[in-house]
Amino acid sequence: MLLAFLEAPQRPLSREHLLQATRIHEDVFDPSIDVQILRLRRKLERDPSAPRVIRTERGVGYVFAVPVGRPLALMPYPLCALITT
């Protein structure tokens, strides 16, 4: 899911798009997107209760609100160290 966000920074991604991006296993279903977003927020956000990195756009989906300035292949580990808010 993080890869889907990094490939489309600052653009809203629908729940359906995120479902397709995470559909490694056929048992992934719509409510699991909320759980995956929550887990990503816990890892990336300073304050997951007031998200600034992954924002919810009501009626649309989610937006990775941080600009991504380097090609993904060049990003060193850990990835979250490059994300500043």
Side-chain angles (χ1 to χ4, degrees), residues 5 9-13 53-57 61-66:
F5 281 124
Q10 299 178 307
R11 292 192 323 227
L13 298 180
V53 176
I54 299 175
R55 294 187 179 152
T56 302
E57 286 213 6
Y62 297 95
V63 175
F64 191 78
V66 177

Side-chain angles (χ1 to χ4, degrees), residues 38-56:
L38 177 63
R39 289 178 180 161
L40 270 177
R41 283 178 172 159
R42 285 180 180 161
K43 292 184 183 296
L44 299 176
E45 303 278 359
R46 287 192 178 135
D47 180 5
S49 65
R52 296 174 53 187
V53 176
I54 299 175
R55 294 187 179 152
T56 302

